[in-house]
Every structure is written in C-alpha cells, then in structure tokens.
Amino acid sequence: MSFAEKISSIMQRPGQDPVAKDDVPWWMKYAGRGLGTVGSIIAIFLGVWNCASILLGSVDCLISGMWQMVAGFIVIMIEAPCCCLFIDFVQNLSDWVEKRPYWNRAVAYCLIALPSVFLCLGMSSLFGSGLIFATGVIYGLMSLGRKAPFREMRSAATNIEVPSSSMQATLVENAQPMGFSNKPDSNI
C-alpha cells in the first residue's frame, strides 16, 4: 500500500466505497473540500467583521455579514460535518449532498456567495464570499470530468468524414449567391 493510498484511507468518510466512482482526480477532491472548509471558516469570521459595520450605520453591510455567516455555516456543514458534531442532522445533510452530482453543489455554492457581495461591496465580503464562490468553481470543474487523452482529441480534430461534427465544416457550403435577389419595391 502506497503512502497516498494510506492517506486516502484515513481521509475517507465512514461507509464510503474505497473505489472512486468518478473520474475526478484525488487532488481536486481534496482541493474542493479543503477550500470549502477553510474558506467557510474565513467567511464566517469576515461576516462577523462585516456585521460590526452597524456601528457606522450601514444596515446593508449588517445584512451582508449575516448572509455571509449563514453561507459559511452551510458550506462547513456540507464539507466538514466533523466541525458541527453536536448538531444531529448535519451528517444526514452531508451524506445527502455527497450523493448528488457535483454540478448541484457548484451551483449552490456560487449562488449563496453572490448576495453578500451585492449587498455590501467591501474587501471582507468580497474575500469571504469569494472563497465560497471559488469552492463552487472547483466543484463545477469537477463536474466536467477528465479531458480526453491527447491521441483521442487529435484524431477527433483531424476526422473529416462527417462534415457536421468536423471542426473543418463550414455553415455556408450551400449558400446561394446574394447577387440574384430582386431590389425592394420603393413604391410601398
């Protein structure tokens, strides 16, 4: 057993299959989970900082900070349920989200990160929500999967048998010349 396999067996969730079901690289899975965990903790602290702007009379920034803290808490519940050990439904929520496709998580993270930035455009809301948004981007990239091998991409690019799927096909092969059209009637 290699060192990477030992680390992955330590990091796997209880009840998780040891064989991966998708083609996502291991480093991208850990990058998404790590950025989601660290980014949500930072987002919660920056949300508290954003809420302190009520002292200056900025209600929009107060609402933005509260939204950012709730978004950070949702992300940390999904990505690191061990941080919310004493809330009983967190493990069930995290398991349910794990069964969903990656693009669902990507859309959810990107959407919950945006309102905080729109309400109060400042460095604390931009950085805190930006980390949650970046987690959504990583999960979006994970949903795309691996790219094809070089030889397969090369053969697809040079294949000219079927014009509709070839990159060398043109849309105007059967276009009629434009010089044969009649002039518009000027009496109308």
Side-chain angles (χ1 to χ4, degrees):
M1 180 179 269
S2 70
F3 181 70
E5 291 172 348
K6 288 180 184 178
I7 295 294
S8 65
S9 69
I10 291 171
M11 296 294 287
Q12 78 182 25
R13 307 180 85 172
Q16 181 180 0
D17 292 335
V19 178
K21 295 180 180 123
D22 50 5
D23 291 341
V24 178
W26 64 270
W27 58 269
M28 192 171 260
K29 288 181 182 180
Y30 290 130
R33 191 166 295 277
L35 182 63
T37 304
V38 174
S40 62
I41 291 171
I42 291 172
I44 290 171
F45 285 123
L46 289 176
V48 171
W49 180 261
N50 223 3
C51 286
S53 66
I54 192 64
L55 297 173
L56 301 174
S58 178
V59 177
D60 292 343
C61 288
L62 171 71
I63 296 170
S64 169
M66 291 188 313
W67 183 276
Q68 188 171 338
M69 288 189 298
V70 169
F73 184 67
I74 290 171
V75 172
I76 205 166
M77 280 191 324
I78 294 170
E79 295 298 327
C82 60
C83 295
C84 306
L85 206 56
F86 300 106
I87 304 173
D88 57 353
F89 68 89
V90 169
Q91 188 64 40
N92 294 335
L93 174 70
S94 180
D95 290 339
W96 181 75
V97 170
E98 283 293 321
K99 294 175 186 171
R100 309 291 303 161
Y102 289 128
W103 69 267
N104 290 355
R105 205 180 306 187
V107 169
Y109 288 170
C110 289
L111 287 179
I112 65 172
L114 292 177
S116 177
V117 175
F118 290 140
L119 286 171
C120 179
L121 187 62
M123 284 305 292
S124 60
S125 63
L126 193 65
F127 185 66
S129 293
L131 290 173
I132 295 173
F133 191 84
T135 305
V137 168
I138 288 177
Y139 278 109
L141 291 174
M142 287 168 63
S143 71
L144 294 176
R146 287 186 185 257
K147 68 179 191 175
F150 177 72
R151 290 184 182 175
E152 187 177 330
M153 288 191 302
R154 183 180 218 174
S155 67
T158 59
N159 185 9
I160 57 172
E161 293 175 10
V162 182
S164 63
S165 67
S166 173
M167 292 173 53
Q168 299 171 353
T170 60
L171 295 175
V172 291
E173 285 178 351
N174 297 325
Q176 297 293 325
M178 294 186 66
F180 297 148
S181 61
N182 295 333
K183 284 184 165 182
D185 191 19
S186 60
N187 295 333
I188 297 180

